[in-house]
Amino acid sequence: MDALEMLAKLLPEEQFEKIKAIDNPELHAFLAEWIEWLEPSRVFVCTDSEEDELYVRWKALYYGEEKVLETPNHTVHYDNYYDQARDKANTKLLVSGGKEIPFLNTMDRGEGLREIRELMKGVMKGKELFICFFVLGPKNSIFTIPAVQLTDSAYVAHSEFILYRKGYEEFKRLGRNARFFRFVHSAGELDERKTSKNLEKRRIYIDLEDETVYSVNTQYGGNTIGLKKLAFRLTIQKAVREGWLSEHMFLMRVNGPNGRKTYFTGAYPSMCGKTSTAMIPWENIVGDDLTFILPVNGIARGANVEKGVFGIIQGVNPEDDPIIWQVLHSPVEIIFSNVLVKDGKPYWSDMGIEIPDEGENHSGKWWKGKKDKEGNEIPPSHKNARFTVSLEHFPNVDLEALNNPCGVEIGGMIFGGRDADTWPPVREAFGWEHGVITMGASLESETTAATLGKEGVRAFNPMAILDFMSVPLGDYIRNYLEFGKKLRKTPKIFAVNYFLRENGKWLNHKLDKAVWLKWMELRVHGDVDAIETPIGYIPRYEDLKRLFKEVLNKDYTREDYEKQFTIRVPELLEKIERIEKIYRDKVKDVPEELFRVLEEERKRLLEARARHGDYISPFVLG
Ligand code: SPV
Ligand code: MN
């Protein structure tokens, strides 16, 4: 029996017709195989119609995966108390022979497929399967990658409607030519709170050969929303093969003098200020998490892979995040996840207003002082609690850039980590190679609650992408270096650090990044000079003083500047040691340039130390 005939048997006519309208035998075969295997009790195929989207939204409520809140269009979703973040240990890349690749969690492909298939056999009995079509990147563009999602979670499907551009018509248009990604997800058996129950059998397996990802016994978005971090593993592989960049980066517009628009990407590990930078009030957001960057006629052009935000809610407060605050308090479609709810209103930790001391949260019924099984006090909302909302609802979105099929020209690329004592708040690389190696490939950050495991440990996280890396790191860095050679104009590269501390106290205010952005914008166009240091260019005091006044209406003191921009030679040298050691000992096949560029930086630091000592004031250099 051919796949279409099988589908005609498996599906009610109305659903079958929607599939039949797509002329793609490969898709038909995939669907027939998996519908038969998963054994759902019902199947719903989503087209791009408003009606089908509403159907999914309704089903999320009907099946109890979401509940309504008081504000129209707001819902809340809970993940299991122990399913609140990406599960790194159980996320594996399936590669033939199970070859070990440093920093990647690999597993033999055959074995992985057997295991995951077993876990998924008949897993949708009694449940409804949603078949959804989306695209990564703007539609009908050089960036577009079509994808099909199978899931028994209406919450996952609903999230995808908020976060991605619809793709059913695109599949129809592309027909047999579509090369598409596939995602198969099941939340597995649910408990009475409608959260995944069998967490010990939680698995996320990424088949790099078939460009298919399987996810089971989990609901947390980072483990389940196919087009987000699951697709990301596939696009990294694709980009390295094809010579472009698929990055864990926001995309934003920084507004320069006289209406000048300059676009920046930014890579920061989770919880290091990425979303709040992309959302900063003075500027305009294009995307907050994933960016594709393609070389077009020698220019690096970027596009947001998504059209919505799955953002961290903890700490969002009216003073520091006025725009997000405003959006979260307007009656637009929003899914709140793992927050505290009381009388139909959502609350979260550190929201800057008083919050109730009881209600419902990710632990079920909650009261202040409640402890979990491990004896830890449960906060009002989980640290990784999130909101899901479309970017179109943000007053500061740059819709033209978001929808532009040609993307936007990238003026600057920013790398930022959580670092208490080494990097200055902002600096510019000497050039592409220097930036890629000493900033991107050398990124370290203290671990956070975005993944399961211990927090606050300094961890190597090149390009903030390590959690998602799907190719050998050496290949990935080589591709970056090669990418620069394809350009006639490379974006400027910058590194930022919002987390400098002295005696446990922050050296910067949360909003200082607004000033760093304006400075970087000016640097992209050569409008201000800078001070050359051993580790790149840093701002001059006069320029920052002026910008602090203009942007924040603050008097920026020489003392603050000196403290923040001191070149900390011992820490910088230690960092080079650490990074070099990792690349020498742990990563195979590293481009030689990497060691050369690190060595040059070390030399510059040693020379500077010989002349000026361990801690070099920027006033000495400037
Ligand atoms: C991140 O942790 O980097 C996120 C959220 O953007 S997740 O979808 O979990 O990856
Ligand atoms: Mn992310």
Side-chain angles (χ1 to χ4, degrees), residues 467-536:
D467 280 1
F468 315 102
M469 189 53 68
S470 58
V471 299
L473 200 46
D475 295 353
Y476 171 79
I477 290 167
R478 186 170 301 105
N479 180 55
Y480 240 101
L481 296 170
E482 290 301 314
F483 183 81
K485 294 179 193 152
K486 289 181 200 154
L487 304 176
R488 52 189 162 84
K489 193 169 148 204
T490 51
K492 277 195 187 255
I493 297 187
F494 300 91
V496 295
N497 176 20
Y498 306 153
F499 300 92
L500 270 179
R501 264 166 287 172
E502 201 180 59
N503 306 321
K505 280 211 345 236
W506 304 115
L507 287 190
N508 287 102
H509 185 268
K510 254 186 146 180
L511 283 181
D512 291 357
K513 52 181 166 288
V515 171
W516 316 147
L517 287 168
K518 292 294 191 208
W519 180 78
M520 291 187 267
E521 201 279 338
L522 295 173
R523 284 296 295 168
V524 166
H525 301 281
D527 287 0
V528 284
D529 280 335
I531 301 170
E532 188 173 336
T533 79
I535 56 168

Side-chain angles (χ1 to χ4, degrees), residues 86 220-222 228-229 248 270 274 289 310 384 386 450 468:
R86 281 186 275 110
Y220 171 68
K228 201 169 188 63
K229 294 312 195 327
H248 192 207
S270 311
K274 187 165 151 205
D289 197 33
F310 178 54
N384 198 29
R386 291 185 177 251
F468 315 102

